[in-house]
Amino acid sequence: MKRRTTIHDLRAMKERGERIPMVTCYDYTSAKILDEVGLPILLVGDSLGMVVLGHDSTLRVTLDMVIHHSAAVARGTSKSMIVIDLPFATYSSSDLPFSLRTAARAMAEGQAQAVKVEGGRRMAPVVGTLVASGIPVMGHIGLTPQSIHMIGGYRVQGRTQQAADRLVAAALALEKAGAFAIVLELVPAPLAERISKMLSIPTIGIGAGAGCDGQVQVFHDIMGMFEDFLPKHARRYADVAGSIREGARRYVADVREGKFPGPENSYDAEPVQDKRGG
Ligand code: KIV
């Protein structure tokens, strides 16, 4: 496909039973690789606060930060749909005009094609308002990290009958409000599968089992870059931290031993411009 993924493509993928891979992305260089590989959706997630900036939660992430990273991801992509997270306390069902201004800035300045908001039924008016203004919205229910201090910890949601019923009601309310997809985070696999079958829009799971229509993971977790901990729901597909460590050791040794730079890395007296104007 030569153009960017649209919300209609995603719906068609669900209808065809084609699973939807999605991964977080925060920078131009990684975005170029992921776009080339054919990831249909890249999420500029507020997880950047943890894996890129070293905070202990997503609560420190601001709208300016996600916009800054999203614009970089946009510059590196031509095919992947970019979904930008609206950060903590930048949207609220009790202030819809404020929510709309936030989403409009995120879309325009972050050059994204959709926004993601966390929250269940109480978020339906926000979703409805944004969608009515032409902004595609991805919902996010289950474990919602922006509410971590209300939830009391990073734990599986929807394990009691009452909690499961609440998640089902939330998914239906978000779909009715116009969300084009919903992230299900840390939801028991049978419940996530049930919700996925009930909805006509795709569900994207993270720690929600294989019965979802798609899967999302944090780039730094699955590429082996973030080594502080590996969530149970993630699998390492590369050892980027190991490669960087090895490369850095070789670089240090070469510099110390005078093996770098070599003649091929040095310039003679004739001024020669390299690609970056050096
Ligand atoms: O910010 C993020 O990375 C997310 C995913 C975990 C879905 O919201």
Side-chain angles (χ1 to χ4, degrees), residues 22 24 26 43-48 58 85 116 118 140 145 183 185 204 206 216-218 233:
M22 165 167 155
T24 64
Y26 319 103
L43 170 67
V44 184
D46 56 4
S47 50
L48 75 88
T58 60
D85 250 344
K116 178 165 79 58
E118 294 185 8
H140 182 159
V183 168
E185 181 165 356
I204 312 286
I206 174 164
V216 59
Q217 287 288 324
V218 171
H233 59 69

Side-chain angles (χ1 to χ4, degrees), residues 213-227:
D213 301 300
Q215 298 292 326
V216 59
Q217 287 288 324
V218 171
F219 179 79
H220 289 55
D221 289 339
I222 62 168
M223 297 305 162
M225 284 177 82
F226 184 75
E227 297 182 307

Side-chain angles (χ1 to χ4, degrees), residues 7-22:
I7 59 173
H8 308 289
D9 297 325
L10 298 174
R11 176 78 78 111
M13 285 169 83
K14 173 164 178 138
E15 282 161 12
R16 289 195 298 269
E18 204 179 305
R19 291 208 169 95
I20 304 166
M22 165 167 155

Side-chain angles (χ1 to χ4, degrees), residues 46 58-59 61-63 66 84-104 106 115-130 135 137-141 143-148 174:
D46 56 4
T58 60
L59 303 192
V61 175
T62 65
L63 183 56
V66 285
I84 181 170
D85 250 344
L86 299 191
F88 172 64
T90 64
Y91 57 100
S92 161
S93 47
S94 59
D95 193 344
L96 297 175
F98 167 64
S99 309
L100 181 55
R101 280 196 301 277
T102 296
V115 302
K116 178 165 79 58
V117 299
E118 294 185 8
R121 283 168 69 176
R122 72 189 155 82
M123 220 30 81
V126 172
V127 174
T129 300
L130 303 189
I135 299 175
V137 183
M138 177 177 276
H140 182 159
I141 59 174
L143 189 276
T144 46
Q146 291 174 12
S147 312
I148 198 62
L174 293 175

Side-chain angles (χ1 to χ4, degrees), residues 61 64-65 77 92 103 106 131-132 144 175 184 211 239 243-244 248 250:
V61 175
D64 285 337
M65 286 180 194
T77 53
S92 161
V131 170
T144 46
E175 177 176 61
L184 303 178
D239 178 22
S243 296
I244 292 175
R250 285 178 34 221

Side-chain angles (χ1 to χ4, degrees):
M1 202 188 293
K2 291 271 188 298
R3 56 164 178 79
R4 281 194 198 271
T5 308
T6 67
I7 59 173
H8 308 289
D9 297 325
L10 298 174
R11 176 78 78 111
M13 285 169 83
K14 173 164 178 138
E15 282 161 12
R16 289 195 298 269
E18 204 179 305
R19 291 208 169 95
I20 304 166
M22 165 167 155
V23 72
T24 64
C25 187
Y26 319 103
D27 69 279
Y28 166 82
T29 302
S30 311
K32 271 187 85 171
I33 299 168
L34 297 172
D35 191 64
E36 181 202 312
V37 166
L39 265 292
I41 321 179
L42 298 181
L43 170 67
V44 184
D46 56 4
S47 50
L48 75 88
M50 299 170 86
V51 297
V52 176
L53 302 176
H55 294 303
D56 61 359
S57 78
T58 60
L59 303 192
R60 299 267 197 148
V61 175
T62 65
L63 183 56
D64 285 337
M65 286 180 194
V66 285
I67 285 174
H68 176 80
H69 286 269
S70 183
V73 171
R75 287 191 288 274
T77 53
S78 59
K79 299 188 290 281
S80 305
M81 166 192 276
I82 301 168
V83 178
I84 181 170
D85 250 344
L86 299 191
F88 172 64
T90 64
Y91 57 100
S92 161
S93 47
S94 59
D95 193 344
L96 297 175
F98 167 64
S99 309
L100 181 55
R101 280 196 301 277
T102 296
R105 264 200 74 200
M107 292 285 285
E109 297 176 38
Q111 297 165 58
Q113 286 77 52
V115 302
K116 178 165 79 58
V117 299
E118 294 185 8
R121 283 168 69 176
R122 72 189 155 82
M123 220 30 81
V126 172
V127 174
T129 300
L130 303 189
V131 170
S133 300
I135 299 175
V137 183
M138 177 177 276
H140 182 159
I141 59 174
L143 189 276
T144 46
Q146 291 174 12
S147 312
I148 198 62
H149 297 304
M150 294 294 287
I151 296 170
Y154 294 91
R155 62 174 79 101
V156 177
Q157 303 294 299
R159 274 186 156 152
T160 64
Q161 189 57 51
Q162 200 187 20
D165 291 347
R166 256 202 318 273
L167 281 182
V168 169
L172 289 171
L174 293 175
E175 177 176 61
K176 190 162 171 224
F180 72 90
I182 302 179
V183 168
L184 303 178
E185 181 165 356
L186 293 195
V187 174
L191 175 61
E193 185 169 355
R194 201 175 115 216
I195 292 174
S196 305
K197 285 189 174 140
M198 279 172 34
L199 301 182
S200 49
I201 57 173
T203 59
I204 312 286
I206 174 164
C212 297
D213 301 300
Q215 298 292 326
V216 59
Q217 287 288 324
V218 171
F219 179 79
H220 289 55
D221 289 339
I222 62 168
M223 297 305 162
M225 284 177 82
F226 184 75
E227 297 182 307
D228 295 3
F229 59 88
L230 181 70
K232 175 180 159 67
H233 59 69
R235 182 185 293 167
R236 284 213 168 122
Y237 285 89
D239 178 22
V240 174
S243 296
I244 292 175
R245 216 172 268 119
E246 172 58 18
R249 281 195 190 109
R250 285 178 34 221
Y251 170 71
V252 167
D254 278 3
V255 170
R256 285 197 174 131
E257 291 162 24
K259 292 183 183 159
F260 178 85
E264 74 281 13
N265 311 113
S266 304
Y267 299 91
D268 58 22
E270 285 286 301
V272 180
Q273 291 257 318
D274 75 12
K275 265 178 77 180
R276 281 173 290 177

